Amino acid sequence: MLSREDDELLTRVEESAPMGAYLREYWTPAVRSARLVADGAPVRVRLFGEDFVAFRATDGRVGFLDEMCPHRRVSLALARNEDCALRCIYHGWKIDVSGSVVEVPSEPAERTDFAEKIRVRHFPTHEVGGIVWVYLGARDQAPPFPRFPFSEVPADHVRPLVAETRCNWLQAVEGTLDSSHVSILHKSWLGAGRGELGQAAYDSAPRYEFDHQDYGIRFAAIRHTDSATSHVRVTEFVMPWMAYIPTGDEDRIAIIGTPVDDVTSRQWFIRWNDDHPLTEDTDTHFWYDELTTAPDDFSALVRGKEMWGQDRKLMAEGHFTGITNLILEDVAIQESQGPIVDRSQEKLGSSDIAVIRTRRLLLDAVRAHGKTGEVFGQAPEAGRPGTAGVAFSISASDDWRPALSAQARYV
């Protein structure tokens, strides 16, 4: 278990919280690119307890600004988006993507220098993987953007979805690293036709092995499928909030849990294929297609429903959870833990090694950042995973690492 002090350090991100300052030093996924249309409606984005507005200017550039107009604190989400700037509808102040106030029609014409004295905070953005990412950190210059595997494929090979979950960001992250729950929480999805994912049904108590990496931690959950064979699911945790997990098919999945504020998170599912455009093959992507009906907040599919839409009649008929989507099962579990789970009350076991190790890595990293300003994994020599979440079977007597190395495709 964690002390209450460590739990607070890990979870709190608002205002001057050390973890918030640390996480802001990474490029943060903010909004799906498709939501931002040139001269279209601005989009409100809340991150780390602060409110911003994102918009796409006439020329295609993205602006990411503090939400409130500097004049009378009116939301710029109400603004007109025109002529490469936002125009506040209250008094007509016009603010461009650089945060410069370029027109103040409420002031006399002779006050030519008035607008030049006013700046609106604006932040660097980068578009990749169908997502607008933003740098909110304290440095004068944003760090180089990471080489994610999905940033190097054509646009039609990648599709992001996002959910607004009513819980702290760390609950979202920890759920992606816990391989043992796959055998239990998701057992209704592990039957025939599920490929490698179905192998998790054989053993609900995997043995964990892990290797620390310069980008995070590599976890292997090893299950015995019979006396001669082991099934290995490898999850790559990339600091501070991304996990590449095995999908059971040829597509890849990255999951990112980011803080909206202390008690709300934004959970990203980025699906891509290295070799061809994504298809709508519902037999393979049985969990995914329903979520695409609400791509900017798929947790809305269960929000407001009693017990996250759990169907007890369906459970009586044999479905384990009574929740009819694999990913929405995770949403229900994470939100059911409460806004911020009290980790000092947990009773952890050997199946929680991945969660325990990740917490320790985050605690060490946030403390180091507070002392030296160092940001884990951003050194020029830092690498990236050679694989992006894979699963395979090996002889029970073999080491999984050579088999994993043989599957590496990202350099």
Side-chain angles (χ1 to χ4, degrees), residues 260-274:
V260 173
D261 49 38
D262 283 347
V263 295
T264 317
S265 58
R266 188 170 289 117
Q267 191 160 355
W268 291 88
F269 280 69
I270 305 170
R271 172 185 160 208
W272 82 96
N273 191 290
D274 293 310

Side-chain angles (χ1 to χ4, degrees), residues 356-375:
I356 293 168
R357 288 287 172 174
T358 300
R359 291 175 185 175
R360 179 53 53 193
L361 179 60
L362 283 164
L363 284 168
D364 290 344
V366 70
R367 287 173 175 143
H369 177 256
K371 293 178 180 178
T372 68
E374 177 186 0
V375 180

Side-chain angles (χ1 to χ4, degrees), residues 191-321:
R194 302 308 186 199
E196 292 287 352
L197 185 60
Q199 300 296 314
Y202 287 97
D203 185 355
S204 64
R207 174 174 56 88
Y208 277 91
E209 295 184 3
F210 59 90
D211 293 327
H212 284 275
Q213 306 289 333
D214 56 6
Y215 52 79
I217 310 178
R218 173 178 292 153
F219 295 105
I222 304 168
R223 291 173 166 88
H224 296 296
T225 54
D226 57 47
S227 59
T229 307
S230 293
H231 182 71
V232 184
R233 299 185 80 245
V234 178
T235 297
E236 303 278 7
F237 174 64
V238 179
M239 283 283 278
W241 46 37
M242 178 183 290
Y244 297 108
I245 64 170
T247 63
D249 58 54
E250 64 176 358
D251 290 346
R252 310 293 188 182
I253 291 288
I255 305 179
I256 309 173
T258 58
V260 173
D261 49 38
D262 283 347
V263 295
T264 317
S265 58
R266 188 170 289 117
Q267 191 160 355
W268 291 88
F269 280 69
I270 305 170
R271 172 185 160 208
W272 82 96
N273 191 290
D274 293 310
D275 302 315
H276 58 70
L278 295 178
T279 65
E280 299 302 329
D281 183 346
T282 55
D283 289 332
T284 301
H285 308 118
F286 59 97
W287 57 268
Y288 187 87
D289 296 313
E290 180 185 4
L291 307 184
T292 65
T293 64
D296 294 303
D297 184 10
F298 60 76
S299 67
L301 297 172
V302 292
R303 185 173 300 121
K305 295 184 178 181
E306 184 177 0
M307 300 307 292
W308 294 271
Q310 186 180 51
D311 185 338
R312 288 282 169 174
K313 181 176 182 294
L314 188 62
M315 294 173 74
E317 294 170 354
H319 193 283
F320 185 70
T321 68

Side-chain angles (χ1 to χ4, degrees), residues 15 24 45-55 62-71 73 76 86 95-101 117-125 134-139:
E15 299 177 345
R24 285 176 174 86
V45 181
R46 185 168 169 83
L47 289 166
F48 303 104
E50 294 189 77
D51 296 316
F52 308 96
V53 63
F55 68 102
V62 171
F64 201 93
L65 312 174
D66 278 338
E67 180 182 347
M68 298 305 176
C69 177
H71 180 210
R73 309 298 292 168
L76 291 174
L86 294 183
I95 303 156
D96 69 14
V97 295
S98 72
S100 297
V101 178
K117 299 176 182 178
I118 302 168
R119 296 285 296 178
V120 175
R121 281 200 313 167
H122 71 290
F123 302 89
T125 61
V134 63
Y135 173 69
L136 299 171
R139 305 182 199 181

